[in-house]
Every structure is written in C-alpha cells, then in structure tokens.
C-alpha cells in the first residue's frame, strides 16, 4: 500500500501537535509549581516579603521571548529556560543558609528546578522535530551573569525577583506555544481520504 505525500504530511502534523501539546501541558504544570513556590517563598521570608518582590534587580534574565520566525521564538524559549537554571541554583544556595534544612521552600525550589530542566528538554525535542537541520543557538550574551555576593536583605530580594520573573516567563511561554500551534502544526485543510 503506497502512502501519498498528504498522508505523510498529516501524520507529521499530528506528531507536531502531540509534541506541542505535551510541552504546553508541562508548561502549565511548571506554572502551577512556580506560583506555589512564590507563595511559600513569601511566607518563609518573614515580614516585608511583599516589598522584596517589588525591588528591581539587574542580573535576572529577561522574561520576554524574542525572534520573528517560529524557529527563533522556540529557540528563545529554550535559551530563556536555560538562563534561569543557574539563578535557581543560586537562590537555593542562599536559602539553604537562611532556612532550616526541612523547609518546604527548599523542597519546592528543587521541584521547580527539576521541572524547568524537563521543560527545557521538552522544548529542545519539539524544536529538533520541527527544525532537524537547524541547531539551537547558544544563549544570547553567552553565559548567565549571577549577582556578586549579597547581604541577607539583597538575597531575599534577589530570590523573590528571580521567582517572580520566572513565573512571568512561563506565562509568556504558555501564550507563545498556543500561538505557535496554529503556525507550525496546522494540518492541511484538504486531506485525501481513502476507503478500503
């Protein structure tokens, strides 16, 4: 039985849709985890925790996705997710000094960090399936800049800003993936149907 090109294209669109759906599902899960993390973070920082999140910090990655073409935008999602990982590590190290070892904050930081790695990996796979001949670019601006040594107040501010900005990035990723669904995974309107 011969397969014509529209059947192959249809199955490719199906695959693309499934891969994108999986990535979107994972994004929503990480969004929920990061919202919980911010609540736990604020609770664990004591008084003035609301103020910590309102201060601006220079060394935190930008949450906005860039690029004109779908390939550039998916690559931007990937590099942004990667850029936040060292920041999570730094926040975890700082909070290890400030919290008790059994703190739920430390557990949730590990959870979100692991989920973020999974999400970056899922975005990478999705990108590779769509653009197999186009390697992912290195993160813009080279390696991530982490802040210099900080006092306790600066650490609390930095941690809150990292988590808040990351949550913003996830909202942007979620919106972007929904937009991409119609651009990169749409099937053909006319499909040849076979009756056997």
């Amino acid at each position: 039985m011969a397969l014509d090109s529209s059947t192959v294209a249809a199955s490719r669109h199906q695959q693309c849709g499934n891969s994108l759906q999986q990535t979107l599902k994972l994004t929503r899960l990480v969004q929920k985890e990061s919202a919980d993390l911010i609540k736990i973070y604020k609770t664990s920082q004591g008084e003035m925790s609301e103020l910590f999140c309102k201060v601006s910090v220079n060394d935190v990655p930008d949450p906005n996705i860039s690029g004109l073409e779908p390939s550039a935008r998916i690559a931007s999602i990937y590099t942004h997710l990667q850029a936040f990982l060292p920041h999570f590590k730094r926040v975890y190290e700082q909070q290890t000094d400030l919290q008790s070892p059994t703190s739920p904050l430390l557990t949730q930081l590990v959870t979100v960090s692991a989920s973020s790695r999974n999400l970056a990996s899922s975005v990478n796979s999705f990108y590779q399936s769509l653009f197999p001949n186009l390697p992912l670019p290195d993160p813009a601006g080279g390696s991530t800049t982490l802040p210099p040594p900080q006092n306790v107040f600066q650490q609390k501010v930095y941690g809150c800003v990292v988590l808040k900005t990351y949550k913003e990035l996830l909202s942007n990723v979620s919106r972007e993936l929904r937009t991409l669904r119609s651009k990169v995974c749409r099937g053909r309107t006319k499909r040849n149907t076979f009756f056997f």
Side-chain angles (χ1 to χ4, degrees):
M1 177 175 80
L3 287 175
D4 71 4
S5 61
S6 67
T7 310
V8 172
S11 89
R12 197 172 291 137
H13 289 304
Q14 179 73 37
Q15 238 176 346
C16 172
N18 291 347
S19 177
L20 181 58
Q21 201 52 43
Q22 237 174 346
T23 307
L24 197 50
K25 229 186 236 178
L26 191 51
T27 305
R28 288 195 195 110
L29 170 71
V30 186
Q31 263 182 300
K32 186 195 173 311
E33 289 175 353
S34 74
D36 293 345
L37 176 56
I38 289 176
K39 282 182 202 146
I40 296 168
Y41 187 88
K42 286 179 179 173
T43 307
S44 68
Q45 301 308 307
E47 290 173 36
M48 292 175 37
S49 62
E50 282 300 324
L51 292 173
F52 296 148
C53 295
K54 292 188 170 77
V55 179
S56 68
V57 177
N58 290 336
D59 298 316
V60 177
D62 174 31
N64 298 312
I65 291 153
S66 57
L68 299 173
E69 294 300 313
S71 61
R73 295 190 75 77
I74 298 169
S76 174
I77 291 172
Y78 176 75
T79 52
H80 276 69
L81 290 167
Q82 291 288 82
F84 269 93
L85 294 173
H87 289 277
F88 278 127
K89 188 171 185 281
R90 173 62 67 88
V91 172
Y92 181 82
E93 287 162 359
Q94 291 176 344
Q95 291 300 317
T96 304
D97 295 339
L98 301 173
Q99 306 294 323
S100 76
T102 56
S103 165
L105 173 61
L106 298 178
T107 312
Q108 191 65 10
L109 271 166
V110 170
T111 302
V112 171
S113 191
S115 297
S116 301
R117 275 192 177 75
N118 292 341
L119 180 56
S121 171
S122 181
V123 170
N124 185 352
S125 301
F126 176 58
Y127 181 89
Q128 301 299 338
S129 70
L130 284 176
F131 311 104
N133 303 325
L134 206 57
L136 268 169
D138 289 326
S143 63
T144 304
T145 313
L146 289 170
Q150 300 168 305
N151 65 34
V152 171
F153 175 76
Q154 289 170 321
Q155 289 180 9
K156 290 182 172 197
V157 167
Y158 166 72
C160 203
V161 173
V162 165
L163 302 182
K164 191 182 77 167
T165 311
Y166 185 65
K167 188 170 171 270
E168 210 178 309
L169 169 67
L170 291 173
S171 301
N172 294 342
V173 169
S174 192
R175 191 172 33 245
E176 192 62 40
L177 291 174
R178 287 196 301 273
T179 306
L180 282 167
R181 184 166 38 196
S182 61
K183 288 184 181 169
V184 295
C185 292
R186 62 171 172 250
R188 298 240 166 96
T189 42
K190 283 184 192 163
R191 257 190 215 137
N192 297 346
T193 16
F194 302 102
F195 300 96
F196 297 104

